Amino acid sequence: MMNPISDKELYQLVNQLSETYFNKPFIDKVQFNARLRTTGGRYIPSRRIIELNPKYAFEFEKEELHGIIKHELCHYHLHIEGKGYGHRDRDFRELLAKTGSPRHCKQLPSEEKRYRYTYECRNCNAVYKRVRKVDVSRYRCGKCRGKLKLV
């Protein structure tokens, strides 16, 4: 687990990773946003801000946070260059591979145990974990269209 990082140290870390992996400086703003719940970070193109989930700095080793920062820097640098910076764009996927950035971040350990309901497909035995209850008469398996049962 990492120690708390000040805004200045966070900016220095992001700029260092930008210089190392992209050979370009990071000149805009980066900040922690404690309201992020389902993602490790996000890049806001209209404001040119990178926001990071502080829980990833506390619950994981520094490599996971570095991976999230590199992922957001891919969005950032491609946006500035006028190239495709969305998750489905070829430029984005190529830059992820080139810099060794992860496509997705790991789930927070504190969020893993949130699931209250587990459903299983009667045909292919696929397992679905959900926080909210699902109406098994309305929903089917996403893989084989089989009926679901509450486990």
Side-chain angles (χ1 to χ4, degrees):
M1 289 191 206
M2 289 181 59
N3 293 327
I5 302 174
S6 70
D7 290 341
K8 186 177 180 182
E9 292 171 329
L10 180 62
Y11 177 81
Q12 290 173 344
L13 173 64
V14 172
N15 192 39
Q16 175 194 355
L17 291 172
S18 181
E19 298 261 351
T20 303
Y21 291 96
F22 301 90
N23 298 318
K24 299 171 188 168
F26 177 75
I27 57 173
D28 288 300
K29 190 175 178 187
V30 62
Q31 63 191 19
F32 282 119
N33 182 350
R35 291 176 296 150
L36 294 178
R37 294 174 54 101
T38 60
T39 184
R42 67 179 177 181
Y43 171 61
I44 304 170
S46 61
R47 295 171 49 207
R48 286 174 49 161
I49 291 177
I50 292 177
E51 293 184 337
L52 300 169
N53 188 337
K55 290 180 183 177
Y56 280 86
F58 295 117
E59 295 187 27
F60 282 108
E61 299 296 324
K62 63 181 178 180
E63 289 77 25
E64 184 69 20
L65 182 64
H66 289 195
I68 293 168
I69 292 170
K70 289 191 315 187
H71 177 101
E72 300 308 326
L73 283 171
C74 289
H75 289 297
Y76 171 78
H77 287 300
L78 289 170
H79 174 249
I80 288 176
E81 294 171 8
K83 296 180 180 176
Y85 61 91
H87 285 112
R88 294 183 179 175
D89 293 323
R90 175 179 280 150
D91 294 330
F92 180 73
R93 289 186 183 197
E94 288 173 356
L95 190 57
L96 280 180
K98 182 180 168 189
T99 59
S101 303
R103 184 114 193 270
H104 303 285
C105 58
K106 294 178 185 172
Q107 187 175 21
L108 286 165
S110 61
E111 296 288 322
E112 283 180 3
K113 298 173 185 117
R114 268 186 77 206
Y115 301 119
R116 294 175 55 196
Y117 302 99
T118 304
Y119 296 91
E120 186 177 11
C121 175
R122 293 177 189 232
N123 291 348
C124 68
N125 297 326
V127 176
Y128 299 94
K129 295 180 179 181
R130 296 290 178 264
V131 174
R132 294 183 178 178
K133 204 166 189 176
V134 173
D135 183 2
V136 293
S137 65
R138 290 184 61 197
Y139 293 96
R140 298 284 189 128
C141 174
K143 295 182 172 94
C144 73
R145 309 292 297 149
K147 288 190 174 187
L148 298 175
K149 66 178 179 181
L150 181 63
V151 178

